[in-house]
Amino acid sequence: MIHELYDIISIYVTVGLLLLGGLSFLFVTIPDSPLLQSYRKARIAMAFAYLFFVAVNAVEYLFRDAENDSILLTQMVTL
């Protein structure tokens, strides 16, 4: 029961929060100012980093072997 609850939390909550964070970075509006140009670039880089971790976590959870759980792999991809 505890292991199933941990799987649900780690799969859905982690992927959901990372997806929400990545999309919020993409859709935040920034005023048109030349001083904020580097902020725009950093915001887009962070959005793609979050979305990259969504993909990595989803692939890791989809292709993992439930019988031989690799804790090291889970620790490496968990943000």
Side-chain angles (χ1 to χ4, degrees):
M1 175 66 180
I2 297 292
H3 185 67
E4 293 171 1
L5 184 63
Y6 174 75
D7 282 344
I8 290 171
I9 289 172
S10 64
I11 292 170
Y12 296 112
V13 174
T14 303
V15 170
L17 286 176
L18 286 171
L19 183 64
L20 181 68
L23 292 177
S24 67
F25 274 126
L26 283 178
F27 292 112
V28 168
T29 58
I30 301 171
D32 255 353
S33 172
L35 296 174
L36 296 175
Q37 188 65 25
S38 61
Y39 178 71
R40 277 190 204 92
K41 290 178 185 176
R43 178 183 57 98
I44 290 173
M46 285 298 296
F48 284 119
Y50 270 68
L51 295 176
F52 172 75
F53 277 113
V54 167
V56 168
N57 277 320
V59 166
E60 190 263 334
Y61 290 127
L62 287 174
F63 294 111
R64 71 187 172 129
D65 186 10
E67 295 169 358
N68 299 322
D69 237 357
S70 173
I71 294 185
L72 181 61
L73 180 63
T74 304
Q75 289 175 347
M76 288 188 320
V77 299
T78 302
L79 186 63

